[in-house]
Amino acid sequence: MDNYPPSVNELVETYSNSGIPRPLLVEEVRRAIDEGIWESLDERVETLRKLALQEVLNATGVLLHTNLGRASWPTTFSGNPVNLELDLNSGSRGSRQGYLGRLFANLCETEAAMVVNNCSSAVLLILSALAHEKGVAISRGEMVEIGGGFRVPDVLELSGAYLVEVGTTNKTRREDYERSINAHRDVSMIMKIHQSNYKIVGFTESAEIRELAELGVPLVADIGSGLLDENCFWLESGPPNWLIGEPGARQTLAQGADIVTFSSDKLLGGPQAGIIAGKADLIEKCLDHPFARAVRPGSLVISSLQELCHKYLNRNWTDIPFWKMALTTKDELQRRAEQLKIGIPVPLNSVPGGGTLPSVEIPSFGIQIDHDISKELRDGTANNLPIIARVEDGKTLLDLRTIHPSLDDQVKSSLKQII
Ligand SMILES: *Cc1c(COP(=O)(O)O)cnc(C)c1O
């Protein structure tokens, strides 16, 4: 090969089947030539192709995998217009929050609800709308980073509210809140933040929602994980035992919280969004705040959430992928693992993930391959989706709990091609 690169056009043509639009390919080829490393173009185009959003198989056994978008929910949209803000009764302007708000209020057995982009926006909106330039009492044990730089004290500052620290890291009692409220005359809210992704163990104590509801200021509970009901009313069999201790929206509100906030892509099992549910006058203030527009979801999310709420209310839990995965029996998974007839069927432990239920494990079953083929699986094979697997002690583990049974054939075909 001589030292002159082939023409840009010629190189770009080589990758016309890559799925990357031509202008982006041209840009990548030019960059490679500028950097004098155009011989490694295959690799660069492949790297670029893998950056694109695409479907994958989750064989990690982490039900709500943060890097795989937590809960997965099918998109069903034909592309026709929708009555997002048109009231079909009157023909005049309606609210995108109206019907969905009723659905979530009903699901949470409370007065009102609204939906925003995620739970972080829910917390930001509430603090901005209900506590601007006022104090918010929060336990020192809950002054946490919830994920990826979302730190409670920072969000508070951003909202214009100020922090009134209560109690100590390991112990905060009702009297501590009372004392803080009395000492700072303009405490306008108590905020309780659920310890979703960590545990404080040992010599600990925290105040109950019930006790804090009596203190005369609005009580907001960020439960985060999105469990609607501790009794799982949508499941005939009641709640699985690994859910024990996780606060439900219904129970938290019934115990006296004025508002609860939670994510819709954790234990709720839906697309990314945040739910605010509770007292109608407080929700009204949130809806009226200018931030509400900045954090409102679009029709794709609203239509998905509406469908999800209908499934809960109709108790069609088998149509909610998260619950279907979570409740598949170990025996059923073992049967599937043995049917694959490739690799070694092994018992495994799945985890809920998504920053929920730390240290909970759900007995599962899957396939073990005796060496590390995680890269090959991630590369994907002909006609099959990339597979994201776990590697432990140099062995590749594929947990079948997080894979839809209809995709077992793809797993088998990929494994056959790789090993
Ligand atoms: C996950 C979580 C959040 C953040 O929710 P996002 O929807 O990711 O913005 C906030 N609070 C609690 C308690 C959480 O568990």
Side-chain angles (χ1 to χ4, degrees):
M1 200 184 272
D2 59 38
N3 285 326
Y4 296 100
S7 78
V8 169
N9 266 342
E10 221 174 285
L11 282 171
V12 163
E13 216 44 58
T14 333
Y15 300 106
S16 57
N17 290 328
S18 63
I20 300 170
R22 193 179 164 85
L24 211 60
L25 280 174
V26 169
E27 185 183 272
E28 193 62 20
V29 167
R30 291 216 170 107
R31 281 187 192 174
I33 292 173
D34 284 351
E35 292 164 26
I37 45 172
W38 50 272
E39 280 115 333
S40 61
L41 207 52
D42 278 5
E43 218 174 284
R44 290 178 69 124
V45 171
E46 187 56 11
T47 303
L48 190 59
R49 192 188 63 76
K50 282 189 186 148
L51 287 179
L53 195 68
Q54 49 205 287
E55 291 190 5
V56 298
L57 292 191
N58 175 8
T60 63
V62 181
L63 277 82
L64 304 166
H65 198 298
T66 307
N67 299 350
L68 304 180
R70 294 190 187 148
S72 57
W73 183 256
T75 45
T76 46
F77 229 65
S78 67
N80 285 322
V82 291
N83 58 335
L84 183 65
E85 291 198 341
L86 176 77
D87 182 344
L88 289 176
N89 296 294
S90 62
S92 53
R93 177 121 192 211
S95 158
R96 69 178 66 203
Q97 301 275 0
Y99 183 69
L100 193 57
R102 290 243 345 229
L103 290 174
F104 273 110
N106 188 296
L107 280 167
C108 296
E109 296 184 320
T110 188
E111 294 172 12
M114 68 180 287
V115 176
V116 294
N117 262 329
N118 47 37
C119 191
S120 312
S121 345
V123 172
L124 183 61
L125 176 59
I126 286 169
L127 291 171
S128 307
L130 307 178
H132 188 72
E133 292 182 346
K134 302 226 173 69
V136 176
I138 304 183
S139 161
R140 286 195 170 87
E142 296 169 11
M143 223 77 81
V144 296
E145 172 164 322
I146 293 161
F150 187 78
R151 295 184 154 181
V152 171
D154 297 343
V155 179
L156 234 109
E157 198 179 313
L158 200 63
S159 71
Y162 75 86
L163 182 62
V164 175
E165 300 184 33
V166 181
T168 62
T169 305
N170 60 331
K171 289 209 175 203
T172 305
R173 303 183 185 88
R174 177 202 142 109
E175 300 82 68
D176 296 321
Y177 285 93
E178 250 177 331
R179 207 173 310 123
S180 289
I181 291 170
N182 292 336
H184 301 259
R185 300 236 157 262
D186 60 349
V187 167
S188 67
M189 181 192 292
I190 296 173
M191 189 151 203
K192 246 342 247 140
I193 298 149
H194 177 52
Q195 301 173 355
S196 298
N197 54 2
Y198 67 103
K199 263 186 176 168
I200 297 184
V201 296
F203 188 58
T204 65
E205 190 173 336
S206 66
E208 302 283 328
I209 293 285
R210 214 180 287 284
E211 304 175 88
L212 300 183
E214 305 158 355
L215 298 183
V217 286
L219 172 60
V220 173
D222 177 16
I223 60 170
S225 307
L227 178 63
L228 287 174
D229 173 16
E230 289 166 24
N231 303 316
C232 298
F233 71 84
W234 57 94
L235 302 177
E236 307 92 16
S237 57
N241 56 19
W242 46 265
L243 261 187
I244 302 294
E246 188 64 17
R250 281 188 178 183
Q251 284 72 23
T252 306
L253 288 161
Q255 284 154 19
D258 296 292
I259 293 270
V260 292
T261 59
F262 51 91
S263 301
S264 72
D265 52 355
K266 294 181 181 171
L267 300 177
L268 193 69
Q272 181 196 302
I275 318 299
I276 306 175
K279 292 271 161 63
D281 57 330
L282 301 179
I283 301 284
E284 199 63 43
K285 283 189 185 152
C286 290
L287 283 167
D288 287 344
H289 191 273
F291 264 171
R293 187 187 175 93
V295 296
R296 69 184 186 177
S299 53
L300 268 175
V301 167
I302 289 177
S303 93
S304 294
L305 280 175
Q306 176 178 301
E307 209 180 315
L308 177 68
C309 288
H310 285 182
K311 294 205 189 302
Y312 271 105
L313 291 168
N314 293 326
R315 301 173 187 218
N316 279 338
W317 67 271
T318 51
D319 286 347
I320 302 174
F322 172 77
W323 289 107
K324 183 79 180 140
M325 282 195 297
L327 297 182
T328 304
T329 63
K330 190 180 165 190
D331 286 352
E332 167 66 11
L333 296 168
Q334 177 166 7
R335 196 188 54 75
R336 282 170 52 196
E338 283 162 1
Q339 245 173 23
L340 281 178
K341 299 203 165 43
I342 193 161
I344 311 157
V346 284
L348 298 169
N349 282 314
S350 309
V351 294
T356 68
L357 299 157
S359 69
V360 162
E361 292 188 331
I362 309 170
S364 185
F365 228 90
I367 293 291
Q368 177 182 306
I369 309 294
D370 278 335
H371 51 287
D372 182 352
I373 56 163
S374 58
K375 184 182 180 313
E376 289 81 353
L377 287 169
R378 218 165 50 235
D379 283 344
T381 53
N383 302 320
N384 297 319
L385 297 174
I387 299 175
I388 314 301
R390 217 157 74 197
V391 178
E392 272 171 28
D393 303 327
K395 296 179 169 60
T396 309
L397 303 171
L398 293 95
D399 190 325
L400 291 181
R401 179 178 296 286
T402 44
I403 293 177
H404 193 272
S406 66
L407 296 169
D408 283 357
D409 286 346
Q410 277 210 24
V411 174
K412 184 170 178 147
S413 153
S414 286
L415 287 174
K416 265 190 168 161
Q417 290 178 55
I418 292 168
I419 54 183

